[in-house]
Amino acid sequence: MREMVRARRGAWTAALLAVTVAGSLVSGCTSGGGAAHDSRSPSQSQSPSPSGTDTANAGPVLAVKIDNAPDARPQTGLDAADVVYAEQVEGGLSRLMAVFATTLPDSVGPVRSARESDLELLRQFHDPTLAFSGAQHKLLPLIDDAPLDPEPAGKVPDAWYRGSGKAAPHNLYLRPRRLMDSVPGDSALTTGFRFGAAPAGGTPEDSLTVRFPSARFTFTWSADRGRWLVAMDGTPTVTTDDRKVAPATVVVQHVKVRSSKYHDFLGNNTPFTESVGSGTAQVLRDGRVFDARWTRPAATDGTRFTTPDGAPLNFAPGQVWVVLVKA
C-alpha cells in the first residue's frame, strides 16, 4: 500500500503545482504559504492495538483542513470528526484540521490550504489521506514527499464542489465518500489518546477560553448534554444543519510556535506549530479541568497525556478537540 501511495504521489506532483497556479477550485488557498471509544493505541508504533486490530492494516484516516475565518462559518461536517485540531496560522488567526475515522459525513468544509505543521502532526497516522484546497508552491514538494496521500482540490473532480451560500474562497467543499469507500475504524486513530474513567481530582469548571493573537475559543460545560459547547470568537459553533459542536474532551496543549520559512501573499509569516516534544496541558472532561503533561518523543508517536504525577490521563469517550496554543 505504501508503495502504491508513493507512486500516486509522484504522478500528482505536477498536478498539484498546476492546480495551485491555475487557482480554479484552489482559489481558496493563500499564495503564501485550512461513537464512543474505550481505549486507543498509545502510539503508532504499537501494533496490534488494545482492541486486537493491527493498526498498520486499519486503513487511512481522512484529515481535512477546514476554514475557520468568520466568513467560513457555519462549517459543515465538523460534528462528525473524531478529533479536531485547532492551530494558529498567519496573522494570529486559526484554522482547523478534522480527522475522520469512524464516520464520514456527506460533506465537509469549507476546505482551505495545508501548512507545514500539518505534515508533522499527521505523522502519527499510517498513510493518512489529507484533503486540502492547495498550498504554497514551495511547500508542495514537502507534501509530495510526506508519508501521506495528498488529495488537493481537483485531483478527484467529482469529490469537490463550490457551495452557493458563501463567497470564494470560503465555499469549497469535499464529498468524503468520493475519496474513501469506507471508514478505517477507531484502531486507525493512533493518537496516543486513552479513553476511560476520569482520574481523581480536577477542578470544577463551567467555562474556559483559549486565545490566539487574533482568535479565541470558548468551551462551556453543558451538564444536560455531558459535553463542552464550543464558541469561536464569541459566537456559538453550530454546523450548517444547526447541530451544536460539542466535544466530550477538550485539550489545551501548550506547544512551541515558531516562525517558518513560508509567508502568505501579504508577507505575513506562517507559524510552525511543534507537536513533537513535551509540555503542559489542561484536559477538560466531565465539567472539570485537569492539569496534565504531554509527551510525543518522535513524529511517528502519538501524544501521551498524564497527570502531574505521571499516571495516564483518560479522556471521556466521544469527540476530542485539541487546541495547540503557544506556550
PDB file of all heavy atoms in Angstrom, residues 1 37 40 49 51 53-63 80 82 99-105 125-129 176-177 179-190:
ATOM      1  N   MET A   1       0.824  -1.214   0.000  1.00  0.00           N
ATOM      2  CA  MET A   1       0.000   0.000   0.000  1.00  0.00           C
ATOM      3  C   MET A   1       0.850   1.252   0.000  1.00  0.00           C
ATOM      4  O   MET A   1       0.605   2.194  -0.731  1.00  0.00           O
ATOM      5  CB  MET A   1      -0.929  -0.012   1.235  1.00  0.00           C
ATOM      6  CG  MET A   1      -1.751   1.276   1.377  1.00  0.00           C
ATOM      7  SD  MET A   1      -2.898   1.522   0.012  1.00  0.00           S
ATOM      8  CE  MET A   1      -4.103   0.268   0.405  1.00  0.00           C
ATOM      9  N   HIS A  37     -15.452   5.524  22.408  1.00  0.00           N
ATOM     10  CA  HIS A  37     -14.331   4.593  22.316  1.00  0.00           C
ATOM     11  C   HIS A  37     -13.817   4.353  23.737  1.00  0.00           C
ATOM     12  O   HIS A  37     -13.727   5.260  24.541  1.00  0.00           O
ATOM     13  CB  HIS A  37     -13.217   5.190  21.453  1.00  0.00           C
ATOM     14  CG  HIS A  37     -13.723   5.802  20.183  1.00  0.00           C
ATOM     15  ND1 HIS A  37     -14.289   5.061  19.171  1.00  0.00           N
ATOM     16  CD2 HIS A  37     -13.767   7.101  19.774  1.00  0.00           C
ATOM     17  CE1 HIS A  37     -14.658   5.861  18.195  1.00  0.00           C
ATOM     18  NE2 HIS A  37     -14.361   7.103  18.531  1.00  0.00           N
ATOM     19  N   ARG A  40      -7.499   3.463  23.037  1.00  0.00           N
ATOM     20  CA  ARG A  40      -6.832   3.515  21.758  1.00  0.00           C
ATOM     21  C   ARG A  40      -5.354   3.334  21.959  1.00  0.00           C
ATOM     22  O   ARG A  40      -4.822   3.504  23.054  1.00  0.00           O
ATOM     23  CB  ARG A  40      -7.119   4.839  21.060  1.00  0.00           C
ATOM     24  CG  ARG A  40      -8.591   4.948  20.660  1.00  0.00           C
ATOM     25  CD  ARG A  40      -8.855   6.155  19.810  1.00  0.00           C
ATOM     26  NE  ARG A  40     -10.282   6.162  19.463  1.00  0.00           N
ATOM     27  CZ  ARG A  40     -11.022   7.249  19.456  1.00  0.00           C
ATOM     28  NH1 ARG A  40     -10.502   8.409  19.747  1.00  0.00           N
ATOM     29  NH2 ARG A  40     -12.276   7.181  19.132  1.00  0.00           N
ATOM     30  N   SER A  49      -3.346  -2.971  18.207  1.00  0.00           N
ATOM     31  CA  SER A  49      -3.914  -2.027  19.157  1.00  0.00           C
ATOM     32  C   SER A  49      -4.548  -2.782  20.314  1.00  0.00           C
ATOM     33  O   SER A  49      -4.687  -3.992  20.282  1.00  0.00           O
ATOM     34  CB  SER A  49      -4.976  -1.180  18.447  1.00  0.00           C
ATOM     35  OG  SER A  49      -6.108  -1.972  18.160  1.00  0.00           O
ATOM     36  N   SER A  51      -7.511  -3.175  20.996  1.00  0.00           N
ATOM     37  CA  SER A  51      -8.688  -3.942  20.571  1.00  0.00           C
ATOM     38  C   SER A  51      -8.310  -5.196  19.804  1.00  0.00           C
ATOM     39  O   SER A  51      -9.175  -5.970  19.414  1.00  0.00           O
ATOM     40  CB  SER A  51      -9.581  -3.056  19.689  1.00  0.00           C
ATOM     41  OG  SER A  51      -8.892  -2.676  18.514  1.00  0.00           O
ATOM     42  N   THR A  53      -6.689  -5.103  16.867  1.00  0.00           N
ATOM     43  CA  THR A  53      -6.607  -4.801  15.445  1.00  0.00           C
ATOM     44  C   THR A  53      -5.219  -4.302  15.103  1.00  0.00           C
ATOM     45  O   THR A  53      -4.652  -3.476  15.803  1.00  0.00           O
ATOM     46  CB  THR A  53      -7.649  -3.727  15.083  1.00  0.00           C
ATOM     47  OG1 THR A  53      -8.944  -4.195  15.433  1.00  0.00           O
ATOM     48  CG2 THR A  53      -7.613  -3.407  13.597  1.00  0.00           C
ATOM     49  N   ASP A  54      -4.669  -4.804  14.012  1.00  0.00           N
ATOM     50  CA  ASP A  54      -3.365  -4.354  13.542  1.00  0.00           C
ATOM     51  C   ASP A  54      -3.510  -2.952  12.972  1.00  0.00           C
ATOM     52  O   ASP A  54      -4.129  -2.743  11.934  1.00  0.00           O
ATOM     53  CB  ASP A  54      -2.857  -5.311  12.463  1.00  0.00           C
ATOM     54  CG  ASP A  54      -1.436  -4.991  12.030  1.00  0.00           C
ATOM     55  OD1 ASP A  54      -0.931  -3.921  12.374  1.00  0.00           O
ATOM     56  OD2 ASP A  54      -0.843  -5.846  11.344  1.00  0.00           O
ATOM     57  N   THR A  55      -2.945  -1.933  13.651  1.00  0.00           N
ATOM     58  CA  THR A  55      -3.119  -0.553  13.226  1.00  0.00           C
ATOM     59  C   THR A  55      -2.511  -0.307  11.862  1.00  0.00           C
ATOM     60  O   THR A  55      -2.963   0.565  11.123  1.00  0.00           O
ATOM     61  CB  THR A  55      -2.504   0.410  14.255  1.00  0.00           C
ATOM     62  OG1 THR A  55      -1.099   0.114  14.386  1.00  0.00           O
ATOM     63  CG2 THR A  55      -3.160   0.267  15.599  1.00  0.00           C
ATOM     64  N   ALA A  56      -1.471  -1.046  11.492  1.00  0.00           N
ATOM     65  CA  ALA A  56      -0.844  -0.838  10.187  1.00  0.00           C
ATOM     66  C   ALA A  56      -1.770  -1.232   9.044  1.00  0.00           C
ATOM     67  O   ALA A  56      -1.606  -0.789   7.925  1.00  0.00           O
ATOM     68  CB  ALA A  56       0.455  -1.630  10.096  1.00  0.00           C
ATOM     69  N   ASN A  57      -2.765  -2.094   9.319  1.00  0.00           N
ATOM     70  CA  ASN A  57      -3.693  -2.541   8.289  1.00  0.00           C
ATOM     71  C   ASN A  57      -5.089  -1.974   8.479  1.00  0.00           C
ATOM     72  O   ASN A  57      -6.036  -2.441   7.857  1.00  0.00           O
ATOM     73  CB  ASN A  57      -3.755  -4.072   8.289  1.00  0.00           C
ATOM     74  CG  ASN A  57      -2.424  -4.704   7.915  1.00  0.00           C
ATOM     75  OD1 ASN A  57      -1.733  -4.220   7.026  1.00  0.00           O
ATOM     76  ND2 ASN A  57      -2.055  -5.772   8.601  1.00  0.00           N
ATOM     77  N   ALA A  58      -5.219  -0.986   9.339  1.00  0.00           N
ATOM     78  CA  ALA A  58      -6.545  -0.463   9.651  1.00  0.00           C
ATOM     79  C   ALA A  58      -7.088   0.416   8.543  1.00  0.00           C
ATOM     80  O   ALA A  58      -8.282   0.668   8.481  1.00  0.00           O
ATOM     81  CB  ALA A  58      -6.495   0.336  10.956  1.00  0.00           C
ATOM     82  N   GLY A  59      -6.241   0.883   7.635  1.00  0.00           N
ATOM     83  CA  GLY A  59      -6.667   1.822   6.608  1.00  0.00           C
ATOM     84  C   GLY A  59      -6.403   3.239   7.054  1.00  0.00           C
ATOM     85  O   GLY A  59      -6.190   3.515   8.234  1.00  0.00           O
ATOM     86  N   PRO A  60      -6.413   4.170   6.111  1.00  0.00           N
ATOM     87  CA  PRO A  60      -6.049   5.547   6.446  1.00  0.00           C
ATOM     88  C   PRO A  60      -7.202   6.333   7.046  1.00  0.00           C
ATOM     89  O   PRO A  60      -8.371   6.144   6.683  1.00  0.00           O
ATOM     90  CB  PRO A  60      -5.661   6.129   5.084  1.00  0.00           C
ATOM     91  CG  PRO A  60      -6.531   5.382   4.117  1.00  0.00           C
ATOM     92  CD  PRO A  60      -6.654   3.990   4.670  1.00  0.00           C
ATOM     93  N   VAL A  61      -6.866   7.227   7.968  1.00  0.00           N
ATOM     94  CA  VAL A  61      -7.835   8.222   8.395  1.00  0.00           C
ATOM     95  C   VAL A  61      -7.925   9.288   7.307  1.00  0.00           C
ATOM     96  O   VAL A  61      -7.049   9.423   6.454  1.00  0.00           O
ATOM     97  CB  VAL A  61      -7.429   8.876   9.736  1.00  0.00           C
ATOM     98  CG1 VAL A  61      -7.362   7.843  10.847  1.00  0.00           C
ATOM     99  CG2 VAL A  61      -6.110   9.639   9.605  1.00  0.00           C
ATOM    100  N   LEU A  62      -8.987  10.057   7.338  1.00  0.00           N
ATOM    101  CA  LEU A  62      -9.139  11.212   6.464  1.00  0.00           C
ATOM    102  C   LEU A  62      -8.987  12.466   7.293  1.00  0.00           C
ATOM    103  O   LEU A  62      -9.749  12.696   8.240  1.00  0.00           O
ATOM    104  CB  LEU A  62     -10.515  11.199   5.790  1.00  0.00           C
ATOM    105  CG  LEU A  62     -10.876  12.459   4.984  1.00  0.00           C
ATOM    106  CD1 LEU A  62      -9.938  12.631   3.794  1.00  0.00           C
ATOM    107  CD2 LEU A  62     -12.333  12.422   4.533  1.00  0.00           C
ATOM    108  N   ALA A  63      -7.995  13.277   6.956  1.00  0.00           N
ATOM    109  CA  ALA A  63      -7.790  14.562   7.609  1.00  0.00           C
ATOM    110  C   ALA A  63      -8.154  15.665   6.621  1.00  0.00           C
ATOM    111  O   ALA A  63      -7.712  15.650   5.467  1.00  0.00           O
ATOM    112  CB  ALA A  63      -6.336  14.714   8.060  1.00  0.00           C
ATOM    113  N   ALA A  80     -18.994  15.510  12.945  1.00  0.00           N
ATOM    114  CA  ALA A  80     -18.779  14.088  12.693  1.00  0.00           C
ATOM    115  C   ALA A  80     -17.330  13.658  12.895  1.00  0.00           C
ATOM    116  O   ALA A  80     -17.036  12.462  12.863  1.00  0.00           O
ATOM    117  CB  ALA A  80     -19.218  13.735  11.281  1.00  0.00           C
ATOM    118  N   ASP A  82     -13.773  12.652  14.545  1.00  0.00           N
ATOM    119  CA  ASP A  82     -13.338  12.014  15.789  1.00  0.00           C
ATOM    120  C   ASP A  82     -12.426  12.945  16.589  1.00  0.00           C
ATOM    121  O   ASP A  82     -12.503  12.989  17.811  1.00  0.00           O
ATOM    122  CB  ASP A  82     -12.599  10.711  15.481  1.00  0.00           C
ATOM    123  CG  ASP A  82     -13.516   9.668  14.891  1.00  0.00           C
ATOM    124  OD1 ASP A  82     -14.178   8.963  15.670  1.00  0.00           O
ATOM    125  OD2 ASP A  82     -13.585   9.568  13.657  1.00  0.00           O
ATOM    126  N   VAL A  99     -10.233  15.165  11.752  1.00  0.00           N
ATOM    127  CA  VAL A  99      -9.787  13.809  11.449  1.00  0.00           C
ATOM    128  C   VAL A  99     -10.983  12.864  11.572  1.00  0.00           C
ATOM    129  O   VAL A  99     -11.647  12.815  12.619  1.00  0.00           O
ATOM    130  CB  VAL A  99      -8.652  13.374  12.391  1.00  0.00           C
ATOM    131  CG1 VAL A  99      -8.220  11.940  12.086  1.00  0.00           C
ATOM    132  CG2 VAL A  99      -7.461  14.320  12.279  1.00  0.00           C
ATOM    133  N   PHE A 100     -11.241  12.103  10.492  1.00  0.00           N
ATOM    134  CA  PHE A 100     -12.388  11.204  10.431  1.00  0.00           C
ATOM    135  C   PHE A 100     -11.895   9.762  10.330  1.00  0.00           C
ATOM    136  O   PHE A 100     -11.117   9.433   9.434  1.00  0.00           O
ATOM    137  CB  PHE A 100     -13.254  11.528   9.221  1.00  0.00           C
ATOM    138  CG  PHE A 100     -13.800  12.926   9.210  1.00  0.00           C
ATOM    139  CD1 PHE A 100     -13.063  13.958   8.645  1.00  0.00           C
ATOM    140  CD2 PHE A 100     -15.038  13.210   9.761  1.00  0.00           C
ATOM    141  CE1 PHE A 100     -13.556  15.257   8.622  1.00  0.00           C
ATOM    142  CE2 PHE A 100     -15.539  14.508   9.751  1.00  0.00           C
ATOM    143  CZ  PHE A 100     -14.795  15.534   9.185  1.00  0.00           C
ATOM    144  N   ALA A 101     -12.373   8.916  11.249  1.00  0.00           N
ATOM    145  CA  ALA A 101     -12.013   7.504  11.231  1.00  0.00           C
ATOM    146  C   ALA A 101     -13.214   6.592  11.408  1.00  0.00           C
ATOM    147  O   ALA A 101     -13.197   5.458  10.948  1.00  0.00           O
ATOM    148  CB  ALA A 101     -10.980   7.195  12.318  1.00  0.00           C
ATOM    149  N   THR A 102     -14.246   7.050  12.092  1.00  0.00           N
ATOM    150  CA  THR A 102     -15.392   6.183  12.376  1.00  0.00           C
ATOM    151  C   THR A 102     -16.649   6.601  11.629  1.00  0.00           C
ATOM    152  O   THR A 102     -17.587   5.813  11.532  1.00  0.00           O
ATOM    153  CB  THR A 102     -15.695   6.150  13.885  1.00  0.00           C
ATOM    154  OG1 THR A 102     -16.004   7.479  14.346  1.00  0.00           O
ATOM    155  CG2 THR A 102     -14.497   5.629  14.660  1.00  0.00           C
ATOM    156  N   THR A 103     -16.694   7.826  11.117  1.00  0.00           N
ATOM    157  CA  THR A 103     -17.865   8.332  10.402  1.00  0.00           C
ATOM    158  C   THR A 103     -17.407   9.236   9.268  1.00  0.00           C
ATOM    159  O   THR A 103     -16.497  10.048   9.454  1.00  0.00           O
ATOM    160  CB  THR A 103     -18.793   9.136  11.338  1.00  0.00           C
ATOM    161  OG1 THR A 103     -19.203   8.317  12.428  1.00  0.00           O
ATOM    162  CG2 THR A 103     -20.034   9.622  10.586  1.00  0.00           C
ATOM    163  N   LEU A 104     -18.050   9.101   8.108  1.00  0.00           N
ATOM    164  CA  LEU A 104     -17.810  10.021   7.004  1.00  0.00           C
ATOM    165  C   LEU A 104     -19.102  10.791   6.742  1.00  0.00           C
ATOM    166  O   LEU A 104     -20.112  10.201   6.336  1.00  0.00           O
ATOM    167  CB  LEU A 104     -17.397   9.266   5.734  1.00  0.00           C
ATOM    168  CG  LEU A 104     -16.021   8.615   5.724  1.00  0.00           C
ATOM    169  CD1 LEU A 104     -15.797   7.897   4.393  1.00  0.00           C
ATOM    170  CD2 LEU A 104     -14.921   9.643   5.965  1.00  0.00           C
ATOM    171  N   PRO A 105     -19.097  12.102   6.961  1.00  0.00           N
ATOM    172  CA  PRO A 105     -20.296  12.884   6.650  1.00  0.00           C
ATOM    173  C   PRO A 105     -20.478  13.009   5.142  1.00  0.00           C
ATOM    174  O   PRO A 105     -19.565  12.727   4.359  1.00  0.00           O
ATOM    175  CB  PRO A 105     -19.999  14.241   7.297  1.00  0.00           C
ATOM    176  CG  PRO A 105     -18.510  14.336   7.288  1.00  0.00           C
ATOM    177  CD  PRO A 105     -18.001  12.930   7.476  1.00  0.00           C
ATOM    178  N   PHE A 125      -0.199   9.080  12.151  1.00  0.00           N
ATOM    179  CA  PHE A 125      -1.125   8.170  11.496  1.00  0.00           C
ATOM    180  C   PHE A 125      -0.409   7.392  10.390  1.00  0.00           C
ATOM    181  O   PHE A 125       0.592   7.842   9.846  1.00  0.00           O
ATOM    182  CB  PHE A 125      -2.303   8.942  10.898  1.00  0.00           C
ATOM    183  CG  PHE A 125      -3.089   9.726  11.904  1.00  0.00           C
ATOM    184  CD1 PHE A 125      -2.993  11.112  11.957  1.00  0.00           C
ATOM    185  CD2 PHE A 125      -3.931   9.097  12.805  1.00  0.00           C
ATOM    186  CE1 PHE A 125      -3.708  11.848  12.877  1.00  0.00           C
ATOM    187  CE2 PHE A 125      -4.655   9.815  13.739  1.00  0.00           C
ATOM    188  CZ  PHE A 125      -4.543  11.201  13.773  1.00  0.00           C
ATOM    189  N   HIS A 126      -0.978   6.238  10.031  1.00  0.00           N
ATOM    190  CA  HIS A 126      -0.393   5.396   8.995  1.00  0.00           C
ATOM    191  C   HIS A 126      -0.948   5.790   7.637  1.00  0.00           C
ATOM    192  O   HIS A 126      -2.123   5.554   7.331  1.00  0.00           O
ATOM    193  CB  HIS A 126      -0.689   3.916   9.287  1.00  0.00           C
ATOM    194  CG  HIS A 126      -0.139   2.976   8.253  1.00  0.00           C
ATOM    195  ND1 HIS A 126       1.203   2.684   8.158  1.00  0.00           N
ATOM    196  CD2 HIS A 126      -0.746   2.285   7.255  1.00  0.00           C
ATOM    197  CE1 HIS A 126       1.399   1.842   7.158  1.00  0.00           C
ATOM    198  NE2 HIS A 126       0.232   1.583   6.589  1.00  0.00           N
ATOM    199  N   ASP A 127      -0.125   6.419   6.783  1.00  0.00           N
ATOM    200  CA  ASP A 127      -0.520   6.841   5.439  1.00  0.00           C
ATOM    201  C   ASP A 127      -1.870   7.553   5.426  1.00  0.00           C
ATOM    202  O   ASP A 127      -2.798   7.160   4.694  1.00  0.00           O
ATOM    203  CB  ASP A 127      -0.557   5.648   4.478  1.00  0.00           C
ATOM    204  CG  ASP A 127       0.835   5.269   4.002  1.00  0.00           C
ATOM    205  OD1 ASP A 127       1.714   6.151   3.977  1.00  0.00           O
ATOM    206  OD2 ASP A 127       1.037   4.098   3.639  1.00  0.00           O
ATOM    207  N   PRO A 128      -2.044   8.627   6.201  1.00  0.00           N
ATOM    208  CA  PRO A 128      -3.328   9.318   6.217  1.00  0.00           C
ATOM    209  C   PRO A 128      -3.624   9.970   4.866  1.00  0.00           C
ATOM    210  O   PRO A 128      -2.718  10.275   4.085  1.00  0.00           O
ATOM    211  CB  PRO A 128      -3.147  10.377   7.302  1.00  0.00           C
ATOM    212  CG  PRO A 128      -1.673  10.667   7.280  1.00  0.00           C
ATOM    213  CD  PRO A 128      -1.025   9.327   7.014  1.00  0.00           C
ATOM    214  N   THR A 129      -4.897  10.180   4.603  1.00  0.00           N
ATOM    215  CA  THR A 129      -5.316  10.963   3.447  1.00  0.00           C
ATOM    216  C   THR A 129      -5.533  12.399   3.904  1.00  0.00           C
ATOM    217  O   THR A 129      -6.273  12.639   4.858  1.00  0.00           O
ATOM    218  CB  THR A 129      -6.620  10.404   2.853  1.00  0.00           C
ATOM    219  OG1 THR A 129      -6.386   9.070   2.391  1.00  0.00           O
ATOM    220  CG2 THR A 129      -7.111  11.262   1.699  1.00  0.00           C
ATOM    221  N   PRO A 176     -16.540  13.394   1.171  1.00  0.00           N
ATOM    222  CA  PRO A 176     -15.552  12.403   1.613  1.00  0.00           C
ATOM    223  C   PRO A 176     -15.720  11.019   1.007  1.00  0.00           C
ATOM    224  O   PRO A 176     -14.734  10.317   0.769  1.00  0.00           O
ATOM    225  CB  PRO A 176     -15.739  12.366   3.133  1.00  0.00           C
ATOM    226  CG  PRO A 176     -16.307  13.699   3.476  1.00  0.00           C
ATOM    227  CD  PRO A 176     -17.202  14.033   2.318  1.00  0.00           C
ATOM    228  N   ARG A 177     -16.966  10.618   0.749  1.00  0.00           N
ATOM    229  CA  ARG A 177     -17.184   9.257   0.241  1.00  0.00           C
ATOM    230  C   ARG A 177     -16.716   9.085  -1.202  1.00  0.00           C
ATOM    231  O   ARG A 177     -16.657   7.955  -1.694  1.00  0.00           O
ATOM    232  CB  ARG A 177     -18.664   8.887   0.383  1.00  0.00           C
ATOM    233  CG  ARG A 177     -19.118   8.771   1.838  1.00  0.00           C
ATOM    234  CD  ARG A 177     -20.516   8.196   1.939  1.00  0.00           C
ATOM    235  NE  ARG A 177     -20.959   8.118   3.326  1.00  0.00           N
ATOM    236  CZ  ARG A 177     -21.665   9.050   3.944  1.00  0.00           C
ATOM    237  NH1 ARG A 177     -22.025  10.149   3.281  1.00  0.00           N
ATOM    238  NH2 ARG A 177     -22.020   8.922   5.193  1.00  0.00           N
ATOM    239  N   LEU A 179     -13.719   9.971  -1.924  1.00  0.00           N
ATOM    240  CA  LEU A 179     -12.300   9.678  -1.721  1.00  0.00           C
ATOM    241  C   LEU A 179     -12.071   8.340  -1.038  1.00  0.00           C
ATOM    242  O   LEU A 179     -11.057   7.687  -1.265  1.00  0.00           O
ATOM    243  CB  LEU A 179     -11.635  10.770  -0.881  1.00  0.00           C
ATOM    244  CG  LEU A 179     -11.591  12.183  -1.440  1.00  0.00           C
ATOM    245  CD1 LEU A 179     -10.802  13.086  -0.496  1.00  0.00           C
ATOM    246  CD2 LEU A 179     -10.979  12.213  -2.828  1.00  0.00           C
ATOM    247  N   MET A 180     -13.001   7.928  -0.179  1.00  0.00           N
ATOM    248  CA  MET A 180     -12.824   6.725   0.625  1.00  0.00           C
ATOM    249  C   MET A 180     -14.074   5.871   0.530  1.00  0.00           C
ATOM    250  O   MET A 180     -15.188   6.374   0.687  1.00  0.00           O
ATOM    251  CB  MET A 180     -12.537   7.094   2.090  1.00  0.00           C
ATOM    252  CG  MET A 180     -11.351   8.026   2.266  1.00  0.00           C
ATOM    253  SD  MET A 180     -11.095   8.530   3.982  1.00  0.00           S
ATOM    254  CE  MET A 180     -10.601   6.965   4.725  1.00  0.00           C
ATOM    255  N   ASP A 181     -13.887   4.584   0.287  1.00  0.00           N
ATOM    256  CA  ASP A 181     -15.016   3.671   0.186  1.00  0.00           C
ATOM    257  C   ASP A 181     -15.638   3.366   1.543  1.00  0.00           C
ATOM    258  O   ASP A 181     -16.834   3.121   1.645  1.00  0.00           O
ATOM    259  CB  ASP A 181     -14.590   2.355  -0.471  1.00  0.00           C
ATOM    260  CG  ASP A 181     -14.176   2.549  -1.917  1.00  0.00           C
ATOM    261  OD1 ASP A 181     -14.704   3.477  -2.558  1.00  0.00           O
ATOM    262  OD2 ASP A 181     -13.319   1.780  -2.396  1.00  0.00           O
ATOM    263  N   SER A 182     -14.793   3.373   2.589  1.00  0.00           N
ATOM    264  CA  SER A 182     -15.281   3.028   3.921  1.00  0.00           C
ATOM    265  C   SER A 182     -14.374   3.677   4.955  1.00  0.00           C
ATOM    266  O   SER A 182     -13.283   4.162   4.632  1.00  0.00           O
ATOM    267  CB  SER A 182     -15.301   1.503   4.116  1.00  0.00           C
ATOM    268  OG  SER A 182     -13.991   0.975   3.990  1.00  0.00           O
ATOM    269  N   VAL A 183     -14.826   3.681   6.183  1.00  0.00           N
ATOM    270  CA  VAL A 183     -14.022   4.239   7.266  1.00  0.00           C
ATOM    271  C   VAL A 183     -13.093   3.160   7.827  1.00  0.00           C
ATOM    272  O   VAL A 183     -13.441   1.968   7.826  1.00  0.00           O
ATOM    273  CB  VAL A 183     -14.908   4.799   8.390  1.00  0.00           C
ATOM    274  CG1 VAL A 183     -15.684   6.006   7.908  1.00  0.00           C
ATOM    275  CG2 VAL A 183     -15.851   3.741   8.944  1.00  0.00           C
ATOM    276  N   PRO A 184     -11.905   3.544   8.311  1.00  0.00           N
ATOM    277  CA  PRO A 184     -10.975   2.541   8.831  1.00  0.00           C
ATOM    278  C   PRO A 184     -11.323   2.046  10.222  1.00  0.00           C
ATOM    279  O   PRO A 184     -10.859   1.000  10.645  1.00  0.00           O
ATOM    280  CB  PRO A 184      -9.642   3.289   8.840  1.00  0.00           C
ATOM    281  CG  PRO A 184     -10.018   4.715   9.055  1.00  0.00           C
ATOM    282  CD  PRO A 184     -11.313   4.883   8.289  1.00  0.00           C
ATOM    283  N   GLY A 185     -12.112   2.819  10.985  1.00  0.00           N
ATOM    284  CA  GLY A 185     -12.426   2.439  12.363  1.00  0.00           C
ATOM    285  C   GLY A 185     -11.490   3.088  13.351  1.00  0.00           C
ATOM    286  O   GLY A 185     -10.455   3.672  13.002  1.00  0.00           O
ATOM    287  N   ASP A 186     -11.847   2.981  14.623  1.00  0.00           N
ATOM    288  CA  ASP A 186     -11.105   3.717  15.640  1.00  0.00           C
ATOM    289  C   ASP A 186      -9.691   3.190  15.861  1.00  0.00           C
ATOM    290  O   ASP A 186      -8.851   3.885  16.440  1.00  0.00           O
ATOM    291  CB  ASP A 186     -11.870   3.781  16.968  1.00  0.00           C
ATOM    292  CG  ASP A 186     -12.179   2.417  17.548  1.00  0.00           C
ATOM    293  OD1 ASP A 186     -11.697   1.398  17.008  1.00  0.00           O
ATOM    294  OD2 ASP A 186     -12.906   2.360  18.555  1.00  0.00           O
ATOM    295  N   SER A 187      -9.372   1.988  15.388  1.00  0.00           N
ATOM    296  CA  SER A 187      -8.000   1.499  15.544  1.00  0.00           C
ATOM    297  C   SER A 187      -7.017   2.301  14.697  1.00  0.00           C
ATOM    298  O   SER A 187      -5.807   2.252  14.933  1.00  0.00           O
ATOM    299  CB  SER A 187      -7.918   0.013  15.161  1.00  0.00           C
ATOM    300  OG  SER A 187      -8.300  -0.186  13.814  1.00  0.00           O
ATOM    301  N   ALA A 188      -7.520   3.069  13.712  1.00  0.00           N
ATOM    302  CA  ALA A 188      -6.643   3.922  12.901  1.00  0.00           C
ATOM    303  C   ALA A 188      -6.286   5.219  13.604  1.00  0.00           C
ATOM    304  O   ALA A 188      -5.409   5.954  13.137  1.00  0.00           O
ATOM    305  CB  ALA A 188      -7.317   4.231  11.563  1.00  0.00           C
ATOM    306  N   LEU A 189      -6.950   5.507  14.712  1.00  0.00           N
ATOM    307  CA  LEU A 189      -6.682   6.742  15.454  1.00  0.00           C
ATOM    308  C   LEU A 189      -5.499   6.532  16.394  1.00  0.00           C
ATOM    309  O   LEU A 189      -5.649   6.408  17.611  1.00  0.00           O
ATOM    310  CB  LEU A 189      -7.925   7.174  16.228  1.00  0.00           C
ATOM    311  CG  LEU A 189      -9.080   7.675  15.354  1.00  0.00           C
ATOM    312  CD1 LEU A 189     -10.363   7.748  16.163  1.00  0.00           C
ATOM    313  CD2 LEU A 189      -8.746   9.031  14.749  1.00  0.00           C
ATOM    314  N   THR A 190      -4.321   6.501  15.825  1.00  0.00           N
ATOM    315  CA  THR A 190      -3.105   6.238  16.588  1.00  0.00           C
ATOM    316  C   THR A 190      -2.561   7.535  17.181  1.00  0.00           C
ATOM    317  O   THR A 190      -1.404   7.901  16.996  1.00  0.00           O
ATOM    318  CB  THR A 190      -2.067   5.564  15.680  1.00  0.00           C
ATOM    319  OG1 THR A 190      -1.957   6.303  14.456  1.00  0.00           O
ATOM    320  CG2 THR A 190      -2.471   4.141  15.361  1.00  0.00           C
TER     321      THR A 190
END
